[in-house]
Every structure is written in C-alpha cells, then in structure tokens.
Amino acid sequence: MALPWALAVLSLLPLLDAQSPACPNFSVPITNASLDQISGKWFYIASASRLPGYKEKASKIHASFYFFTPNHTEDTILFREYMTVGDQCLYNSSSLKVQRENGTLSTSENGTEHYGQLVLSKDPKIFMLASFPEDKQNMGLSFFADQPEATPEQMQQFYDYLTCMGMDKSEVMYTDEKKNLCLLLEKQHDEERKKEEERSKTGTALD
Ligand SMILES: *[C@@H]1O[C@H](CO)[C@@H](O)[C@H](O)[C@H]1NC(C)=O
Ligand SMILES: *[C@@H]1O[C@H](CO)[C@@H](O)[C@H](O)[C@H]1NC(C)=O
Ligand SMILES: *[C@@H]1O[C@H](CO)[C@@H](O)[C@H](O)[C@H]1NC(C)=O
Ligand SMILES: *[C@@H]1O[C@H](CO)[C@@H](O)[C@H](O)[C@H]1NC(C)=O
Ligand SMILES: *[C@@H]1O[C@H](CO)[C@@H](O)[C@H](O)[C@H]1NC(C)=O
Ligand SMILES: *[C@@H]1O[C@H](CO)[C@@H](O)[C@H](O)[C@H]1NC(C)=O
C-alpha cells in the first residue's frame, strides 16, 4: 500500500508546486499611512535568510524589540533597538532611510548598506521585511509583531510569504521572549524620558 500512496503523492507534487501562491509585489511604495502603521513598539519574532553568515549571527539573538519613530518629512525612521545577545542586553539607536518609491528601508552598518523591503499585511499588528526576494542564494524574510508572541494566524501569514518566496519553514529561526534581558533597561529609559519631559515642562513654565 505504501508504494502506490507514495507515487500518488509524487505525482501530485508538480500540481501543488504550480498552485503555490505567487508572491505579491514586494515593491509597494511606502506612504505616510504605512509609516504611521509601523510607528511604535515592535518585537522581532522570527526570520529566515540565506545570506552567508546570517544564521550564525541571528542564532545569537535570543530576543529583540524596537521603537520606531518615523519622520514623514525627512523620510527617515529613528529606531531604538533592545537586543538580547547571549546573556547581555545590547542597546543601540540609529536611523533607517525610507525609499518611498520602491518600498525599501535601509541602514548602513560599518559602511555597508542593508536593505529590506517593507511588507505590510492586512493585519496591522504585524509587518515583515524582505531582502533580495528574487535571489535564491541570498533571500531573507524577517517577521515583527506588536506583541512578544505572535498568534498562529499571524505566524501563518509569515509562513505564506516564506513559502511563496521559495523558502522552507525549517529555515526559520525564532526568538524566545523568556530570554529577553532588556526589560529593566527599557524601564530605566522610560523613567529617564519621563523625568526629561517633566524637566522641560517646568523649564517652559518658568520662561
Ligand atoms: C510592483 O509595483 C510597483 C509600484 O506599484 C511597480 O512599479 C512595479 O512594476 C510592480 N512590479 C511588478 C513585478 O508587478
Ligand atoms: C523631522 O525632521 C525635520 C528635519 O530634521 C525636523 O525639523 C522635524 O522636527 C522632524 N519631525 C519630527 C516629527 O520629528
Ligand atoms: C506626508 O506627510 C508630510 C508631513 O506631514 C507631508 O508634508 C506630506 O505632504 C505628506 N505626503 C503625502 C503624500 O500625503
Ligand atoms: C530603492 O531605491 C533606492 C533609491 O532610489 C536605491 O538606492 C535602492 O537600491 C533601491 N532598492 C531596491 C531594493 O530596489
Ligand atoms: C549602533 O548602530 C550603529 C549604526 O548602525 C553602528 O555603527 C554601531 O556599531 C552600533 N553599535 C553597537 C554597540 O552595536
Ligand atoms: C564593525 O567593524 C568592526 C571593525 O572591523 C568590527 O569589530 C565590528 O564587529 C563590526 N560591527 C558590526 C555590527 O558588524
């Protein structure tokens, strides 16, 4: 019985392949509305990438979250990054450039530009960044959500994009919120910011 079953499955494969959904156009222009949508706090949930060296780097990131502050006139996004690497919380802030016409966000790190195409889905509580979606050797997709854990439906949207690009679930690396070591630092920064705001308020009141 096993053999005919296997044959039946094999003969179905080309059919399934032909039916695998085509990816939507990745280069959707970025608008003010899309910038508003990605403004705020985001958790990096998972990613897959075939870029050489990516796996080694990404596997060290146990958890990370971001605050995005877009500037609609400058076409930049200020981002603050809290990343748990090993047993350390690393904080950094930097700026992303927004290329509206081709839907691309970029950042330069050590003189190298990194690109990601912004992928918004129907669900405003998630977004993705695709890199080299046409290049089988280097393609990548990262997945972000507004909560540290994504719902199964949200994960499925990520898997759908992954599949249409031609990558496999087995290539996905996940973060683990339980390993997040940055909550204390985030709290400290919040308190500092509040104090700063109060100080500037009293400052203007005295003027
Ligand atoms: C994707 O969308 C952009 C902007 O709407 C358009 O210029 C481009 O031709 C589209 N690409 C494909 C492959 O449809
Ligand atoms: C955006 O950037 C411009 C130029 O640097 C600055 O004048 C403006 O205040 C910024 N807007 C916001 C909302 O931060
Ligand atoms: C986007 O927002 C900026 C700043 O508010 C504004 O100057 C610009 O006209 C807006 N662009 C569009 C296409 O609405
Ligand atoms: C998007 O446009 C910018 C500016 O025109 C360009 O530098 C960049 O290479 C483009 N990115 C992609 C992925 O096409
Ligand atoms: C912070 O980000 C900037 C810009 O991406 C980078 O040049 C710098 O090396 C980063 N610093 C740390 C400590 O990761
Ligand atoms: C940037 O370059 C320096 C020196 O080459 C290296 O030590 C550092 O790890 C690099 N940073 C990143 C984020 O690649």
Side-chain angles (χ1 to χ4, degrees):
M1 279 314 275
L3 192 60
W5 183 82
L7 286 176
V9 170
L10 279 179
S11 63
L12 269 176
L13 276 181
L15 204 66
L16 287 176
D17 202 35
Q19 282 176 346
S20 81
C23 279
N25 189 345
F26 280 112
S27 70
V28 178
I30 293 174
T31 61
N32 279 348
S34 27
L35 289 179
D36 289 338
Q37 190 173 326
I38 61 166
S39 170
K41 185 176 186 179
W42 294 97
F43 294 85
Y44 158 59
I45 305 287
S47 69
S49 172
R50 292 177 177 170
L51 263 191
Y54 180 89
K55 245 191 161 128
E56 290 82 277
K57 268 197 202 165
S59 63
K60 295 196 185 100
I61 303 174
H62 297 314
S64 86
F65 57 95
Y66 301 85
F67 288 90
F68 285 173
T69 313
N71 185 313
H72 296 62
T73 49
E74 254 193 340
D75 285 355
T76 55
I77 300 174
L78 181 73
F79 74 96
R80 297 187 285 122
E81 172 186 68
Y82 295 81
M83 192 155 61
T84 306
V85 177
D87 59 0
Q88 275 186 303
C89 168
L90 303 180
Y91 173 75
N92 203 353
S93 78
S94 181
S95 179
L96 296 170
K97 272 187 259 169
V98 179
Q99 277 98 35
R100 287 182 184 249
E101 49 316 326
N102 58 13
T104 309
L105 305 179
S106 64
T107 174
S108 60
E109 185 184 273
N110 268 0
T112 331
E113 285 288 293
H114 294 273
Y115 290 100
Q117 276 171 300
L118 179 64
V119 181
L120 296 177
S121 82
K122 287 181 299 270
D123 182 349
K125 294 172 185 297
I126 60 174
F127 74 88
M128 292 170 238
L129 287 175
S131 43
F132 311 108
E134 317 295 339
D135 178 351
K136 292 262 173 262
Q137 255 87 55
N138 294 302
M139 57 171 53
L141 188 69
S142 315
F143 178 49
F144 301 82
D146 71 348
Q147 299 292 320
E149 316 253 353
T151 66
E153 293 77 22
Q154 291 173 334
M155 283 314 301
Q156 192 53 49
Q157 297 200 47
F158 171 58
Y159 295 141
D160 286 349
Y161 275 92
L162 201 72
T163 315
C164 78
M165 284 170 78
M167 285 192 285
D168 190 82
K169 262 190 187 183
S170 63
E171 298 176 66
V172 177
M173 282 173 295
Y174 299 88
T175 55
D176 180 358
E177 177 59 15
K178 289 191 282 299
K179 295 185 176 160
N180 186 349
L181 298 175
C182 289
L183 296 174
L184 192 63
L185 185 62
E186 182 196 11
K187 213 171 142 200
Q188 279 171 11
H189 286 169
D190 274 352
E191 279 161 14
E192 281 164 21
R193 203 167 306 115
K194 267 183 214 140
K195 270 189 209 145
E196 195 59 49
E197 275 166 20
E198 269 158 34
R199 214 174 299 144
S200 63
K201 256 187 229 156
T202 12
T204 44
L206 287 175
D207 282 343

